[in-house]
Amino acid sequence: MTTVFKKIIDGELPADKVFENDRILAFKDINPVAPIHILIIPKKEIPDIQSLSEEDLDLMKEIVSVAQVLAKRFDIAEGYRLLTNNGPLSGQIVPHLHFHLIGGRQLGAMA
Ligand code: AMP
């Protein structure tokens, strides 16, 4: 299934990119819920965290590392949320694994 994020990875859709290497891409969320709202995604097409296989676990390390770097760069290292939605009941809309890096204001309750 071709998702909107795959189109961004392939350069078929524009995005405000803030980090990119061979495996990971990060870009600003088009509909931010806070002053800083960045999506960090693996370029590999993995639908959600529940589908992540053992062999892809290193991507998680790298995503956490990218989140730390971006939190510093965007000056939110003292308080942010890094979250992923898994499946329709969580509110996941785009079936390509992604982590929301959210901060820049006092954040509210989780759910
Ligand atoms: P989720 O509900 O976890 O699947 O979140 C999907 C996120 O993708 C939402 O916060 C959307 O605002 C965001 N989004 C959807 N399309 C785009 C796009 N073209 N560029 C940037 N963010 C997007």
Side-chain angles (χ1 to χ4, degrees):
M1 177 188 196
T2 300
T3 67
V4 64
F5 291 173
K6 176 64 175 160
K7 288 183 178 172
I8 289 172
I9 291 165
D10 290 344
E12 293 168 11
L13 273 181
D16 192 349
K17 296 179 187 177
V18 294
F19 178 89
E20 181 166 19
N21 67 16
D22 288 348
R23 296 164 301 282
I24 308 290
L25 178 63
F27 50 94
K28 293 188 180 173
D29 196 293
I30 205 167
N31 188 20
V33 299
I36 305 299
H37 188 169
I38 292 166
L39 300 173
I40 307 171
I41 71 174
K43 289 187 173 178
K44 183 171 180 178
E45 287 189 281
I46 300 166
D48 53 34
I49 200 165
Q50 193 63 25
S51 311
L52 195 72
S53 62
E54 184 88 23
E55 67 180 23
D56 290 327
L57 278 178
D58 278 352
L59 287 170
M60 296 298 302
K61 284 191 201 170
E62 198 165 2
I63 285 170
V64 170
S65 178
V66 169
Q68 291 173 333
V69 167
L70 291 176
K72 277 190 195 149
R73 193 199 302 167
F74 285 90
D75 205 22
I76 59 168
E78 77 285 356
Y80 63 85
R81 192 167 284 159
L82 181 64
L83 67 87
T84 189
N85 290 317
N86 187 94
L89 276 181
S90 72
Q92 185 181 7
I93 298 167
V94 181
H96 182 120
L97 179 62
H98 54 281
F99 288 80
H100 299 255
L101 176 65
I102 298 167
R105 66 167 168 79
Q106 178 64 53
L107 299 175
M110 281 294 292

